[in-house]
Amino acid sequence: MSKTTAGRFFEDYRIGDVINHAVPRTVSGGERAMYHALYPARTALYSSDEFARACGLPQSPVDDLIGFHIVFGKTVPDVSLNAVANLGYAEGRFLCPVYPGDTLRSQSEVIGLKQNSNGKSGVVWVRTQGVNQHGAPVLDYVRWVMVRKRDLEAPAPATVVPELAAVVPAQALIVPEGLDFSTYDTALSGEPHRWGDYAIGEKIDHVDGVTVEEAEHMLATRLWQNTSKVHFDGTQRADGKRLIYGGHVISMARALSFNGLANAQMIAAINAGSHANPCFAGDTIRAWSEVLDRAETQAPGVGALRLRLVATKGGRDVLKGTDGKYHPDVLLDLDYWVFMPL
Amino acid sequence: MSKTTAGRFFEDYRIGDVINHAVPRTVSGGERAMYHALYPARTALYSSDEFARACGLPQSPVDDLIGFHIVFGKTVPDVSLNAVANLGYAEGRFLCPVYPGDTLRSQSEVIGLKQNSNGKSGVVWVRTQGVNQHGAPVLDYVRWVMVRKRDLEAPAPATVVPELAAVVPAQALIVPEGLDFSTYDTALSGEPHRWGDYAIGEKIDHVDGVTVEEAEHMLATRLWQNTSKVHFDGTQRADGKRLIYGGHVISMARALSFNGLANAQMIAAINAGSHANPCFAGDTIRAWSEVLDRAETQAPGVGALRLRLVATKGGRDVLKGTDGKYHPDVLLDLDYWVFMPL
Amino acid sequence: MSKTTAGRFFEDYRIGDVINHAVPRTVSGGERAMYHALYPARTALYSSDEFARACGLPQSPVDDLIGFHIVFGKTVPDVSLNAVANLGYAEGRFLCPVYPGDTLRSQSEVIGLKQNSNGKSGVVWVRTQGVNQHGAPVLDYVRWVMVRKRDLEAPAPATVVPELAAVVPAQALIVPEGLDFSTYDTALSGEPHRWGDYAIGEKIDHVDGVTVEEAEHMLATRLWQNTSKVHFDGTQRADGKRLIYGGHVISMARALSFNGLANAQMIAAINAGSHANPCFAGDTIRAWSEVLDRAETQAPGVGALRLRLVATKGGRDVLKGTDGKYHPDVLLDLDYWVFMPL
């Protein structure tokens, strides 16, 4: 038997390689409805054409994370099919909203390589860009993964570790063209708290919990055409459980954060992210946030807030132990920027 | 930690208060497809643009209950977050079909208040209206819920119990503009039985049963942006089960009633409704109907039928015991009007 | 109680009867998104408007199997409500792509009848055609089912067994108008293997497995308005499991076959199909294919490949024992034609 894709191994990557990922995808109101069914997402800008128009956009875009998941999903067959671990994200920027009718494709450039000292695997850094049908970039981000070697005898490549910004600087955030929060309606958005009401260091417990089911995370992961086997095949583990796609936890935590951050309308950037512990069906996901920074923008009425979003399975306000390691209840530690009305 | 919404308590409501509920919502073919996946819904008017045009409408509307669930879901954070029980519905009327592309918002007026004798809670009556992007009301209904007090020392408000019609009178039903059943095709609709074939007092066993799963009712309840914790958080009960949103049972029972009521095309009004017993995943929902009344309308070929729709978990033709209490198998007892071809 | 449909029994069918099945259905991007959530479907032509335009189509059609499931689902109340077994398919042809906005209806002609020697049931052959809102046929196929008799005393009809082609001949395949694979992009489609790379007799193990859940197959089956009780009612069996709709297995296997057959873009015909063993929630579906035949077409760059697609619950490369019976792990044995770039 033949012809199926074994995926790339560590020795198959070369610095500067550009990979055009397969299967472009047109989105519609269908993906938006599925997103609302999968996550308790309620940000008004992504729910209502009328609200979006009142904010200067032509119509309601699909959730930023729909764009992220689709662009990410396309990279899986080329980047992470033989990955041992998803190690991190950096320099993620949302460059242009995605609207129903848009077609997204995805490409990645290999920007870093470092073989592990055990000689069995190595770290691959890629910068991935999502592009719409007009050729306009909609988002880009750096991700690094640990990838197995096929041939342990293959020589180690020259080590190249890219210099990555710890945080996307506020002045590099791209406000969508036309966005104007100067007549923003907090009655319709769901909460009165504006940019000026958040203080650096402030923490918010988002209160609600959602118990996740096998059917839900598989529906979600397939929707993004993410083909990683571990999410779907219950025969891989004795307990029949499937490892939940980290992006499912990101979307769930982001949606839960509505309660306390209803006006954190748009994701502007992803500075860093860790999937601290695996998530399985039956876990009840909770979330809390911490305000890390604040910045102004050039756009009318639009401020930027830098947030830490932590998803846990049960624990409230947990993060790391005195040893610096994540508490076993922590699922996600995400550092990101949002746009919010002043 | 701060900023999250605790919801309103009994002493926070004042007669005459008008609450503009947050998060307007634009619907598309996506919500319709999800509805067809969640419920065995087959009424032709809500399935086919061609059939709808043959009935005088510009295209196929989304199911009436999609409109109801969206409008209802928006009220939850303001009306029922601290509710002990959902006590009843009255005077529900469907005023205008909802089409893909429409944006719905929701507002409620407090029309009744009555503190309970125990001083710990009280009953709140609200009249809720759903409005589309043209400012046209799409439906309205009265709902009353029992809500906890935050401060047991807060003084009781003056008791106001609204006078509510036991039944929406037939002459108050609003036939959608243009609706014309004079060339209605019963081959395409699925059954030959027309308005004239139903006798008052007639009962119909809808035969089929659907066993419900956790993933399904959570997908449904999120789709309507209903945030009530009890539907999602499995840690609230020792058995990990989540209480199923009553509206999920309404939609399931209404869809099951196709078998015997295929021509009960549009819901015209909700006269009354009781969620008699809680529903949990694993329950197998069945339904039966009783014809309560018949009326003519001014629209060509359009009659109105008043129906009792009873959903049970297993039992057939059960309702109340000799003590007047609902049989433990009864999940829903709904009294409503539909439009049907003469 | 009355008015519900008992369905047709064997003695209710007459040779030449034409049944117009109820409930026409308009499809949208919603059905497409649900399909992508339910199955790991990634063929580029059904994912991207841009890719479809580059192949000469006006936009991306919905998956061929969406059309098949909708057309099939409508026949269930009239053909298989009292069926004991779904015995086979033949002469299935896909005649015209289905696009978002199209409305499908379905009709069947009774073309064969043969009472079983036990006198309790008989085999009914129907030729079913799906038609769009322009009156254009979108697909047709022959199916035969074993149906119970209501009245065992009813006389046996004259036996008519239709002559059916074992395989749709290559020259009878209908290439969609405008389809042109001469500038086909294998980077975007996901694999380099073209029509010329497949040899008759070649087998492909599609590697991946998907464990199926109750919620998923019920969502799918309802989406196609298929009302067969056995898929939904957990009280029919002691173990509470529901029999999974055979079409769910077809779609899952076809989607899994992307890995090795990414360029098998469009289904052109279904020659034969057997649901060899029942599938239940908890089963992990795998798939393998065998190349049965190759043919050229008149369309630019378009070749046809005849494939056997076998779905199993776990076993790899299993099919039949030395006794000619299907291995108990085999769920589906499907013989079909696809269009592929030369």
Side-chain angles (χ1 to χ4, degrees):
Chain A
M1 297 202 172
S2 63
K3 287 207 171 67
T4 49
T5 308
R8 286 163 198 252
F9 291 84
F10 180 67
E11 64 267 35
D12 299 327
Y13 295 93
R14 298 281 174 279
I15 293 290
D17 275 0
V18 173
I19 307 169
N20 285 296
H21 305 297
V23 192
R25 172 76 168 273
T26 304
V27 299
S28 78
E31 280 75 15
R32 178 204 298 248
M34 280 299 303
Y35 198 83
H36 279 112
L38 289 163
Y39 309 106
R42 290 187 290 146
T43 34
L45 201 59
Y46 298 97
S47 180
S48 164
D49 283 344
E50 307 302 311
F51 192 93
R53 281 186 203 114
C55 294
L57 300 183
Q59 66 176 115
S60 177
V62 299
D63 199 283
D64 320 281
L65 291 173
I66 291 181
F68 176 78
H69 293 315
I70 288 178
V71 169
F72 181 100
K74 309 212 160 311
T75 70
V76 168
D78 297 312
V79 175
S80 43
L81 217 59
N82 297 301
V84 185
N86 192 28
L87 297 173
Y89 306 97
E91 299 188 359
R93 289 193 309 166
F94 291 78
L95 304 167
C96 173
V98 178
Y99 294 100
D102 282 357
T103 300
L104 301 184
R105 56 193 170 80
S106 187
Q107 64 177 42
S108 298
E109 182 181 351
V110 179
I111 61 168
L113 288 172
K114 183 171 184 291
Q115 182 164 312
N116 287 329
S117 53
N118 64 13
K120 295 183 179 167
S121 57
V123 179
V124 179
W125 284 258
V126 294
R127 186 180 299 275
T128 297
Q129 187 177 60
V131 177
N132 69 18
Q133 74 277 18
H134 308 299
V138 299
L139 61 92
D140 60 14
Y141 63 92
V142 173
R143 176 163 80 117
W144 55 107
V145 291
M146 192 183 301
V147 180
R148 279 193 298 273
K149 293 181 75 171
R150 183 197 298 105
D151 171 13
L152 299 190
E153 304 305 311
T159 293
V160 176
V161 175
E163 281 193 44
L164 298 170
V167 178
V168 176
Q171 60 272 27
L173 302 177
I174 307 291
V175 181
E177 201 182 319
L179 191 73
D180 180 344
F181 284 159
S182 56
T183 60
Y184 188 94
D185 182 339
T186 55
L188 286 181
S189 72
E191 286 182 356
H193 323 300
R194 291 168 173 274
W195 181 83
D197 298 322
Y198 291 86
I200 295 174
E202 181 176 354
K203 287 184 179 180
I204 302 158
D205 177 353
H206 300 301
V207 180
D208 301 319
V210 173
T211 308
V212 293
E213 300 290 316
E214 297 285 13
E216 292 171 341
H217 77 84
M218 292 198 295
L219 288 170
T221 309
R222 275 190 295 253
L223 185 58
W224 320 126
Q225 297 178 312
N226 179 328
T227 59
S228 190
K229 296 179 213 305
V230 292
H231 309 315
F232 302 108
D233 185 348
T235 66
Q236 306 270 330
R237 296 167 51 97
D239 59 9
K241 284 188 177 179
R242 284 134 264 181
L243 181 66
I244 291 180
Y245 163 49
H248 191 61
V249 178
I250 294 176
S251 279
M252 192 62 85
R254 161 77 173 147
L256 285 169
S257 79
F258 181 92
N259 198 347
L261 283 166
N263 295 315
Q265 288 287 348
M266 307 190 90
I267 300 182
I270 292 177
N271 300 307
S274 263
H275 299 291
N277 286 289
C279 182
F280 296 105
D283 288 348
T284 298
I285 300 178
R286 297 180 187 283
W288 62 270
S289 293
E290 180 182 357
V291 179
L292 298 178
D293 202 358
R294 292 157 33 116
E296 298 189 15
T297 79
Q298 301 290 325
V302 181
L305 211 61
R306 185 181 153 213
L307 296 163
R308 158 175 266 166
L309 173 63
V310 178
T312 76
K313 44 181 176 183
R316 291 173 184 277
D317 198 16
V318 294
L319 188 61
K320 291 179 179 177
T322 50
D323 56 359
K325 289 187 182 163
Y326 282 110
H327 186 284
D329 274 359
V330 174
L331 300 171
L332 172 75
D333 182 11
L334 189 75
D335 179 337
Y336 72 119
W337 282 103
V338 295
F339 292 128
M340 209 173 204
L342 294 178
Chain B
M1 295 203 174
S2 62
K3 287 208 171 66
T4 49
T5 307
R8 286 163 198 250
F9 291 85
F10 180 66
E11 63 267 34
D12 298 328
Y13 295 92
R14 299 281 175 278
I15 293 290
D17 274 0
V18 173
I19 306 169
N20 285 297
H21 305 296
V23 192
R25 171 77 168 274
T26 304
V27 299
S28 78
E31 281 75 15
R32 178 204 297 248
M34 279 300 303
Y35 198 83
H36 279 112
L38 289 162
Y39 309 107
R42 290 187 290 148
T43 34
L45 202 60
Y46 297 98
S47 180
S48 164
D49 283 344
E50 307 302 312
F51 191 92
R53 280 187 204 113
C55 295
L57 300 183
Q59 66 176 117
S60 176
V62 298
D63 197 284
D64 321 281
L65 291 173
I66 291 181
F68 176 77
H69 293 315
I70 288 178
V71 169
F72 181 101
K74 307 212 162 311
T75 71
V76 168
D78 297 312
V79 174
S80 44
L81 216 59
N82 297 301
V84 185
N86 192 29
L87 298 173
Y89 306 96
E91 300 188 359
R93 290 193 310 167
F94 290 78
L95 304 167
C96 172
V98 177
Y99 293 100
D102 281 356
T103 300
L104 301 183
R105 56 193 169 79
S106 188
Q107 63 177 41
S108 297
E109 182 181 350
V110 180
I111 61 166
L113 287 173
K114 181 171 185 293
Q115 183 165 312
N116 288 329
S117 53
N118 65 13
K120 294 182 179 169
S121 57
V123 179
V124 179
W125 284 259
V126 294
R127 186 180 300 275
T128 296
Q129 188 178 59
V131 177
N132 70 16
Q133 73 277 18
H134 307 300
V138 299
L139 61 92
D140 60 15
Y141 63 92
V142 173
R143 176 163 78 116
W144 55 107
V145 291
M146 192 183 301
V147 180
R148 280 194 297 273
K149 293 181 75 171
R150 183 197 298 104
D151 171 13
L152 300 190
E153 304 303 312
T159 292
V160 176
V161 176
E163 281 192 43
L164 297 170
V167 178
V168 176
Q171 60 272 25
L173 302 177
I174 306 291
V175 182
E177 201 182 319
L179 191 72
D180 181 344
F181 283 159
S182 56
T183 60
Y184 189 94
D185 182 339
T186 56
L188 286 180
S189 72
E191 286 182 356
H193 323 300
R194 292 169 173 272
W195 180 83
D197 299 321
Y198 291 87
I200 295 176
E202 181 176 353
K203 288 185 177 179
I204 303 158
D205 177 354
H206 300 299
V207 180
D208 301 319
V210 173
T211 307
V212 293
E213 299 291 316
E214 296 285 14
E216 293 172 340
H217 77 83
M218 293 198 294
L219 288 170
T221 309
R222 276 191 293 254
L223 185 58
W224 320 125
Q225 298 178 312
N226 178 330
T227 59
S228 189
K229 296 179 213 302
V230 292
H231 309 316
F232 301 108
D233 185 348
T235 66
Q236 306 269 330
R237 295 167 52 96
D239 59 9
K241 285 189 178 179
R242 285 134 264 180
L243 182 66
I244 292 180
Y245 163 48
H248 191 60
V249 178
I250 294 177
S251 278
M252 192 62 85
R254 161 77 173 147
L256 285 169
S257 78
F258 181 92
N259 198 347
L261 284 166
N263 295 316
Q265 287 288 348
M266 307 190 91
I267 300 183
I270 291 177
N271 300 308
S274 262
H275 299 291
N277 286 289
C279 182
F280 295 104
D283 288 347
T284 298
I285 301 178
R286 296 179 188 284
W288 61 271
S289 293
E290 180 182 356
V291 180
L292 299 178
D293 202 359
R294 292 156 35 116
E296 298 188 17
T297 80
Q298 301 291 324
V302 180
L305 211 60
R306 185 180 154 214
L307 296 162
R308 157 173 267 164
L309 173 62
V310 178
T312 75
K313 44 181 177 184
R316 291 173 184 277
D317 197 17
V318 293
L319 188 62
K320 292 180 179 177
T322 50
D323 57 359
K325 289 188 181 165
Y326 281 110
H327 186 284
D329 274 359
V330 174
L331 300 172
L332 171 75
D333 182 11
L334 189 75
D335 179 337
Y336 72 119
W337 282 103
V338 294
F339 292 128
M340 210 173 203
L342 293 178
Chain C
M1 296 201 175
S2 62
K3 287 208 171 67
T4 49
T5 307
R8 286 163 198 252
F9 291 84
F10 180 68
E11 64 266 35
D12 300 326
Y13 295 92
R14 297 282 174 280
I15 293 291
D17 274 0
V18 174
I19 306 169
N20 284 296
H21 305 297
V23 192
R25 171 76 168 273
T26 304
V27 299
S28 78
E31 280 75 15
R32 179 204 297 247
M34 279 300 303
Y35 198 83
H36 279 112
L38 288 163
Y39 309 107
R42 290 187 289 146
T43 35
L45 202 59
Y46 297 98
S47 180
S48 163
D49 283 344
E50 307 302 311
F51 192 93
R53 280 185 204 115
C55 294
L57 301 183
Q59 67 177 114
S60 177
V62 299
D63 198 283
D64 321 283
L65 291 173
I66 291 181
F68 176 77
H69 293 315
I70 288 178
V71 169
F72 180 101
K74 308 212 160 311
T75 70
V76 168
D78 297 311
V79 175
S80 45
L81 217 58
N82 296 302
V84 184
N86 192 28
L87 297 173
Y89 306 96
E91 300 188 357
R93 290 192 310 166
F94 291 78
L95 304 167
C96 173
V98 178
Y99 294 100
D102 282 356
T103 300
L104 301 183
R105 57 193 169 80
S106 189
Q107 63 177 42
S108 297
E109 182 181 350
V110 180
I111 62 167
L113 288 173
K114 182 172 184 291
Q115 183 164 311
N116 287 329
S117 53
N118 65 12
K120 294 182 179 169
S121 57
V123 179
V124 179
W125 283 259
V126 294
R127 186 181 300 275
T128 297
Q129 188 178 61
V131 177
N132 70 17
Q133 73 278 16
H134 308 299
V138 299
L139 61 92
D140 60 15
Y141 64 92
V142 173
R143 176 164 78 116
W144 56 106
V145 292
M146 192 184 300
V147 180
R148 279 194 297 273
K149 293 181 76 170
R150 184 197 296 105
D151 170 15
L152 300 190
E153 304 304 312
T159 292
V160 177
V161 175
E163 280 192 45
L164 298 170
V167 178
V168 176
Q171 60 272 26
L173 302 177
I174 306 291
V175 182
E177 201 181 318
L179 191 73
D180 180 343
F181 283 160
S182 55
T183 61
Y184 187 93
D185 182 339
T186 56
L188 286 181
S189 71
E191 286 181 357
H193 324 299
R194 291 167 173 273
W195 179 83
D197 299 322
Y198 291 86
I200 295 175
E202 181 177 353
K203 288 184 179 179
I204 303 158
D205 177 353
H206 300 300
V207 181
D208 301 318
V210 173
T211 308
V212 293
E213 300 290 316
E214 297 284 14
E216 293 171 341
H217 77 83
M218 292 198 296
L219 288 169
T221 309
R222 275 190 294 254
L223 185 59
W224 319 126
Q225 298 178 311
N226 179 330
T227 60
S228 190
K229 297 178 213 303
V230 292
H231 308 316
F232 300 109
D233 185 349
T235 65
Q236 306 270 329
R237 295 168 52 96
D239 59 8
K241 284 188 176 179
R242 285 135 264 180
L243 181 67
I244 293 180
Y245 163 50
H248 191 61
V249 178
I250 294 177
S251 278
M252 192 62 85
R254 161 77 173 146
L256 285 168
S257 79
F258 181 92
N259 198 346
L261 283 166
N263 295 316
Q265 288 287 349
M266 307 190 90
I267 300 182
I270 291 178
N271 300 308
S274 263
H275 299 291
N277 285 289
C279 183
F280 295 105
D283 288 348
T284 298
I285 300 178
R286 296 179 188 283
W288 62 270
S289 294
E290 180 182 357
V291 180
L292 299 178
D293 201 357
R294 292 156 35 115
E296 298 189 15
T297 79
Q298 301 291 324
V302 180
L305 211 61
R306 184 180 154 213
L307 297 162
R308 157 174 267 165
L309 173 62
V310 178
T312 75
K313 44 181 176 183
R316 292 173 184 276
D317 198 17
V318 293
L319 189 62
K320 292 180 179 177
T322 49
D323 57 359
K325 289 187 181 165
Y326 281 110
H327 187 283
D329 274 0
V330 174
L331 300 171
L332 172 76
D333 182 11
L334 188 75
D335 179 336
Y336 72 120
W337 282 103
V338 295
F339 292 128
M340 209 173 204
L342 295 178

